[in-house]
Amino acid sequence: MKKLLTPFIKGPLDLKNHVVMAPMTRSRAIDNLPNSLMAEYYGQRTGAGLIVTEGTAPAPEALGYPRIPGIFSQQQVEAWRQVTKKVHEGGSKFFLQLMHTGRIGHIDNLPKGTTLAGASDIKATGQIFTDTKGLQDFSAPVALSKDGINKVIGDFVLAAENAIKAGFDGVEIHGANGYLLEQFMNPNVNNRTDEYGGNIENRSRFTIEVVRAVANAIGTEKTGIRFSPYSKLGDLVLYDEQETRLTYEWIAQNLDNIGIAYIHVAVNAAIPEKTFHGIRNNFSGTIILSNGLTPETGEAALHAGFADLVAFGRSFLSNPDFVERIKNSSDLNPVDFANLYTTGSRGYTDYPITNLLSRPKINQNEIY
């Protein structure tokens, strides 16, 4: 049997297989509230041993994109419960990804009275979609003060506590894709001169403080984090290769000391082999590998020594029954790229399922 399909037990994680559904923004949370359509979507994909949700805002100013869910209000906590119930009925573990977009966003996507916050006031180059005006240049962020940093850390803690109240098994802190945590790590975005800027230890401080505070609040066994070393997402400019590796080694060592459940690494072609070794040698917990994997390359990765689990994004997006398709070596559905971020079920819950008895119901009266 493929290792992918066998049970996984390591530390606090006890999963029915080695397959993880990776976090993917889908923009179906109208008014930033989870809903029954989202419950159906995640419930369809419970072949995975672990499901990580789409990026979810821990605070109003973290809502950089349109129609992403939040976890900072009681209404949002209640709304998430229908989703966690559906996933647990399918036998999957369910982690909520906490995503603070920092400077990556636009004020039209934020509630009135809030503004973008960043490690610095350096505006990102590029554009983002808004429901009000279409594509717009990124808004200018306000550099977080020390009090502002402490508030953001508190927001992460409250959001993590809310996630547990909503029925999640844990949280994954988003430290990748050029969002707030990675903005602090990157010296080309972080121009601070206080204890949160400058050398590796200082630039890593915010990330470690967020993780430590969350782990202290909900438990190390319920805390994970996602990284994307050497990524250019979010208008990140790459910095010295050795310093980048040393940064992630330093963070991995500190996270190992805290004792969190896992590190989730989104791979890209720019990551040198030394960096993989550096993270693995400094972190004894579970490591999840993701980004562009196929069932074949995912299986190979599980035997290569770095990854304990492998995560799949687009494969789960277009194949609710992805794990069954791995078992049967079945072809995969193509992705409906035109409807990735729209508001209805098309390109979301209407993908064909091989078992006709479990095919999702489609509301024929829905207007797209």
Side-chain angles (χ1 to χ4, degrees):
M1 178 183 287
K2 298 181 178 72
K3 190 173 182 179
L4 272 171
L5 304 177
T6 61
F8 174 81
I9 301 175
K10 181 176 179 179
L13 291 176
D14 186 348
L15 311 175
K16 61 185 177 184
N17 55 43
H18 286 65
V19 180
V20 179
M21 177 175 162
M24 293 174 285
T25 294
R26 301 307 311 274
S27 297
R28 260 68 176 194
I30 308 301
D31 296 325
N32 308 118
L33 286 170
N35 50 52
S36 58
L37 187 64
M38 291 170 60
E40 180 183 2
Y41 168 77
Y42 285 108
Q44 289 176 342
R45 289 157 175 79
T46 52
L50 171 65
I51 294 175
V52 184
T53 71
E54 61 211 272
T56 302
E61 64 269 19
L63 292 164
Y65 296 98
R67 289 172 273 109
I68 65 172
I71 190 67
F72 50 83
S73 73
Q74 187 58 38
Q75 188 180 12
Q76 290 164 343
V77 172
E78 294 296 332
W80 271 116
R81 286 186 175 134
Q82 64 184 310
V83 188
T84 58
K85 181 176 183 292
K86 197 77 171 177
V87 169
H88 286 145
E89 286 174 351
S92 298
K93 296 295 174 64
F94 202 20
F95 272 47
L96 177 80
Q97 189 188 70
L98 296 176
M99 180 178 77
H100 195 307
T101 56
R103 71 176 188 152
I104 301 301
H106 191 276
I107 56 172
D108 281 18
N109 292 333
L110 303 181
K112 289 184 178 179
T114 57
T115 188
L116 295 183
S120 67
D121 61 359
I122 301 174
K123 180 181 175 181
T125 300
Q127 293 187 314
I128 191 168
F129 183 81
T130 69
D131 282 335
T132 53
K133 300 174 184 175
L135 279 175
Q136 293 291 308
D137 291 345
F138 289 117
S139 297
V142 174
L144 285 165
S145 65
K146 182 63 184 298
D147 286 343
I149 288 173
N150 289 335
K151 180 185 180 302
V152 171
I153 294 171
D155 290 339
F156 270 98
V157 169
L158 178 60
E161 292 173 336
N162 283 344
I164 302 306
K165 291 176 183 176
F168 285 97
D169 299 296
V171 301
E172 176 180 288
I173 298 165
H174 203 337
N177 292 17
Y179 298 140
L180 187 61
L181 271 67
E182 195 167 26
Q183 290 162 27
F184 271 88
M185 295 179 215
N186 190 303
N188 293 313
V189 177
N190 180 350
N191 61 5
R192 303 176 71 97
T193 58
D194 61 5
E195 67 268 39
Y196 291 93
N199 61 29
I200 288 173
E201 181 178 353
N202 285 352
R203 286 185 283 105
S204 305
R205 189 183 307 278
F206 176 67
T207 295
I208 294 166
E209 287 182 351
V210 169
V211 174
R212 182 181 290 113
V214 167
N216 285 342
I218 66 171
T220 55
E221 75 282 3
K222 298 176 182 178
T223 306
I225 193 166
R226 191 179 206 224
F227 291 132
S228 56
Y230 303 88
S231 171
K232 295 182 181 179
L233 291 174
D235 189 36
L236 289 182
V237 180
L238 299 185
Y239 52 107
D240 181 79
E241 180 181 307
Q242 179 175 328
E243 186 172 3
T244 304
R245 173 175 56 81
L246 294 174
T247 297
Y248 284 95
E249 288 180 1
W250 170 264
I251 294 175
Q253 183 181 55
N254 279 270
L255 297 183
D256 194 61
N257 292 338
I258 294 171
I260 65 171
Y262 71 76
I263 292 176
H264 182 174
V265 179
V267 302
N268 62 75
I271 303 179
E273 197 64 31
K274 282 185 178 180
T275 302
F276 288 114
H277 291 312
I279 294 172
R280 179 75 278 178
N281 291 339
N282 283 281
F283 186 73
S284 59
T286 294
I287 290 181
I288 303 172
L289 189 70
S290 70
N291 211 9
L293 296 175
T294 65
E296 294 74 24
T297 60
E299 178 71 21
L302 291 177
H303 296 274
F306 175 75
D308 300 288
L309 296 169
V310 286
F312 302 86
R314 289 179 179 176
S315 297
F316 263 116
L317 185 154
S318 59
N319 299 276
D321 55 347
F322 179 55
V323 173
E324 286 299 317
R325 290 175 187 254
I326 294 175
K327 290 178 183 177
N328 300 320
S329 299
S330 302
D331 293 336
L332 302 182
N333 297 318
V335 176
D336 180 359
F337 288 102
N339 291 289
L340 286 179
Y341 308 115
T342 52
T343 57
S345 61
R346 188 182 296 277
Y348 191 59
T349 57
D350 65 343
Y351 283 102
I353 294 175
T354 50
N355 181 353
L356 294 179
L357 295 177
S358 60
R359 186 184 298 275
K361 295 179 181 179
I362 300 175
N363 182 359
Q364 300 293 343
N365 296 319
E366 183 170 1
I367 300 175
Y368 298 105

